[in-house]
Amino acid sequence: MAQQQGDEMEYVADDNEMAEVEDDMYFRGRVFGDSESESDDDDDEYDSMENRMTDTTAAEARKGKDIQGIPWDRLSVSREKYRQTRLEQYKNYENIPQSGEQSEKECTLTYRGGKYYDFWQNTRSVKSTILHFQLRNLVWATSKHDVYLVSSYSILHWSSLKAKKSEILNVSGHVAPCEKHPGSLLEGFTHTQISTLAVRDKLLIAGGFQGELICKYIDRPGVSFCSRTTYDDNAITNAVEIYDHPSGAVHFMASNNDCGVRDFDMERFQLSKHFSFSWPVNHTSLSPDGKLLVIVGDNPEGIMVDSQTGKTVKPLCGHLDYSFASAWHPDGRVFATGNQDKTCRVWDVRNLSKSVAVLKGNLGAIRSIRFTSDGRFMAMAEPADFVHVYDAKMGFEKEQEIDFFGEISGVSFSPDTESLFIGVWDRTYGSLLQYNRLRNYMYLDCM
């Protein structure tokens, strides 16, 4: 992955991934479409309007309010016109030129119009932020009401049930472990820049730009374990996955830019495996039975490897650029990979010579993929504006397209599949979107 880091937290507005729009609409931190030559009175009007910005509920959205609270009726551009502008001018980041155009030839025809998750609320007080424009795993739900996300140097918890925000961890200053474990860096870290996040049950793992790993149990005070995966200059922690080991212990797997994949045992807080590959690893997913790893990174080809030995089982050929996302279906037979060629490829382990579906994005790379725990749906997130929810049970032929404006910091289904959370980063309209699963509460469903 690209190495981009400044002395301060420089978010994606300054990276190649961000759109360049006429008159700098939308992303200049003002109500987009307004003129630069406004009077002081106009500025005062804008300030007072921003102070009045409120959350949007499902009831308000049904009455016609924009889900993000964007006041289209007083802007110089309509939503439809601005959407067209975004589609035409958004610049997708590619490591291999024209990969997005060339991938269109293989794309599977899908039918839009599916309705699986319905808008529930948009929370403006919870602003999710992004450190690196290629890494978007910064939102994790642990229940249909509880979600964790990165906001600047903080990891926040949001309870939609209580409508309450709380800080779980602040890494702007000095963070050090309060427990003693062999191999833990007791001196801890200072001014950590969070590149990736994973939360499962009560365990939270934050990965940093310098290879940092910070492990915290949410129900315990302080930090349990700190480790630096490598002191290599190319050290960024690109992804973390928490899983249950066959031994019964909780493990997590870290994917790093130094070409390594490392497995940590959280019962003993020890490194248990370390595999090295020939290119930087951007994302790793473990199969439900724990036997296979899907590994993608700075190579158009991904690989499937044996989780015990790290030996390659099969290459994954088809993508045309670098990949940053992967996920397994709960059945352990199907998995998906997301790439900067604007596609998500769906694979079947019984025949890896060709992907079974090639799903196309609208604007750019597929940077995050999630399956529901029941295997019914798969969500794939583009870098901005669009999250696609596919009916996996029906062969990925039908989708629901969730359409908004802003960079996407992460997507997460709740473990019970009832909620879908989407982190949106934008200087003005940054927020947390929540969609709830649609149910047909008929008499037979009750039975």
Side-chain angles (χ1 to χ4, degrees):
M1 63 175 293
Q3 287 292 295
Q4 297 194 13
Q5 182 188 21
D7 293 333
E8 302 296 332
M9 286 284 245
E10 295 293 338
Y11 297 110
V12 291
D14 301 313
D15 285 306
N16 294 329
E17 192 85 32
M18 185 57 73
E20 295 179 3
V21 186
E22 292 177 359
D23 300 326
D24 200 21
M25 295 186 304
Y26 187 68
F27 288 111
R28 67 179 181 230
R30 302 173 57 83
V31 177
F32 54 89
D34 288 353
S35 170
E36 288 276 287
S37 59
E38 291 173 320
S39 67
D40 292 338
D41 291 339
D42 291 331
D43 285 338
D44 291 341
E45 179 185 354
Y46 170 74
D47 290 338
S48 64
M49 189 196 77
E50 177 148 39
N51 290 334
R52 295 197 306 269
M53 287 178 178
T54 58
D55 296 347
T56 304
T57 65
E60 291 171 326
R62 284 193 293 268
K63 293 177 181 177
K65 181 179 178 180
D66 182 82
I67 62 170
Q68 294 179 275
I70 301 172
W72 296 104
D73 57 345
R74 66 173 294 269
L75 300 182
S76 59
V77 61
S78 68
R79 191 185 197 283
E80 293 72 22
K81 175 64 176 175
Y82 186 64
R83 168 52 66 215
Q84 190 59 38
T85 301
R86 288 279 281 175
L87 289 170
E88 292 171 357
Q89 298 189 11
Y90 191 92
K91 182 177 173 57
N92 179 45
Y93 185 87
E94 298 174 336
N95 287 98
I96 299 176
Q98 282 84 50
S99 62
E101 295 176 16
Q102 295 175 20
S103 68
E104 292 183 6
K105 303 169 187 175
E106 282 191 82
C107 288
T108 305
L109 179 64
T110 59
Y111 300 94
R112 294 177 183 173
K115 191 73 172 176
Y116 314 124
Y117 283 80
D118 203 15
F119 173 76
W120 180 250
Q121 66 179 0
N122 183 48
T123 308
R124 299 285 291 277
S125 62
V126 184
K127 296 187 182 294
S128 180
T129 52
I130 301 165
L131 172 61
H132 196 287
F133 72 102
Q134 290 172 307
L135 303 178
R136 307 301 182 92
N137 294 300
L138 298 169
V139 175
W140 290 88
T142 56
S143 83
K144 63 182 177 182
H145 302 302
D146 298 282
V147 63
Y148 296 82
L149 64 152
V150 176
S151 183
S152 188
Y153 285 99
S154 295
I155 297 174
L156 303 178
H157 166 252
W158 168 253
S159 169
S160 61
L161 188 63
K162 300 178 181 177
K164 183 180 179 182
K165 175 177 67 175
S166 56
E167 186 177 69
I168 302 300
L169 183 64
N170 188 306
V171 296
S172 62
H174 183 237
V175 174
C178 61
E179 302 174 17
K180 291 185 178 180
H181 301 283
S184 183
L185 289 178
L186 299 182
E187 67 271 25
F189 305 114
T190 301
H191 204 63
T192 306
Q193 293 180 305
I194 300 173
S195 54
T196 192
L197 177 72
V199 185
R200 182 177 168 188
D201 298 326
K202 297 297 183 181
L203 177 61
L204 180 154
I205 313 287
F209 219 102
Q210 301 299 324
E212 301 98 331
L213 288 170
I214 299 173
C215 306
K216 174 179 173 57
Y217 283 95
I218 295 166
D219 56 349
R220 300 183 197 173
V223 169
S224 294
F225 182 74
C226 288
S227 177
R228 191 182 294 277
T229 55
T230 175
Y231 287 89
D232 193 288
D233 290 338
N234 202 8
I236 187 168
T237 306
N238 293 327
V240 172
E241 182 177 33
I242 303 170
Y243 70 97
D244 292 323
H245 192 269
S247 68
V250 175
H251 280 228
F252 75 87
M253 200 164 288
S255 306
N256 281 81
N257 228 43
D258 69 343
C259 308
V261 173
R262 295 168 175 84
D263 187 276
F264 287 83
D265 179 350
M266 286 291 93
E267 184 175 349
R268 300 179 296 113
F269 293 92
Q270 291 296 299
L271 176 67
S272 61
K273 291 190 188 76
H274 178 197
F275 302 139
S276 292
F277 300 94
S278 56
W279 30 261
V281 178
N282 296 330
H283 203 273
T284 303
S285 293
L286 180 69
S287 62
D289 64 7
K291 295 180 180 179
L292 297 170
L293 285 172
V294 169
I295 297 176
V296 297
D298 286 6
N299 192 307
E301 288 188 7
I303 52 174
M304 177 175 284
V305 306
D306 184 295
S307 65
Q308 299 304 310
T309 64
K311 301 295 183 184
T312 299
V313 174
K314 195 81 174 178
L316 305 173
C317 305
H319 280 303
L320 303 178
D321 209 313
Y322 296 173
S323 293
F324 285 82
S326 62
W328 281 87
H329 189 282
D331 68 6
R333 178 173 57 84
V334 170
F335 63 93
T337 53
N339 192 273
Q340 291 184 157
D341 64 9
K342 296 186 183 180
T343 70
C344 167
R345 286 182 176 261
V346 181
W347 310 80
D348 190 316
V349 293
R350 295 172 297 185
N351 182 8
L352 293 174
S353 61
K354 186 179 181 181
S355 50
V356 298
V358 184
L359 309 174
K360 186 73 170 177
N362 296 325
L363 283 179
I366 307 305
R367 299 211 177 275
S368 186
I369 302 171
R370 299 284 184 269
F371 282 97
T372 53
S373 60
D374 62 2
R376 176 69 190 274
F377 302 111
M378 183 193 78
M380 72 176 202
E382 300 188 44
D385 292 19
F386 293 102
V387 172
H388 307 263
V389 181
Y390 290 90
D391 189 334
K393 187 177 180 180
M394 301 303 291
F396 304 90
E397 294 180 355
K398 193 172 183 179
E399 66 165 298
Q400 174 184 357
E401 185 178 88
I402 299 175
D403 178 344
F404 50 93
F405 293 101
E407 295 287 316
I408 300 169
S409 62
V411 295
S412 182
F413 289 110
S414 60
D416 63 1
T417 79
E418 291 300 317
S419 298
L420 169 63
F421 293 94
I422 304 169
V424 181
W425 180 83
D426 177 68
R427 288 194 180 100
T428 303
Y429 293 102
S431 66
L432 182 68
L433 287 166
Q434 180 179 348
Y435 284 74
N436 284 357
R437 186 165 175 175
L438 282 171
R439 298 286 190 181
N440 295 321
Y441 291 110
M442 302 172 68
Y443 174 74
L444 289 178
D445 291 336
C446 298
M447 298 295 289

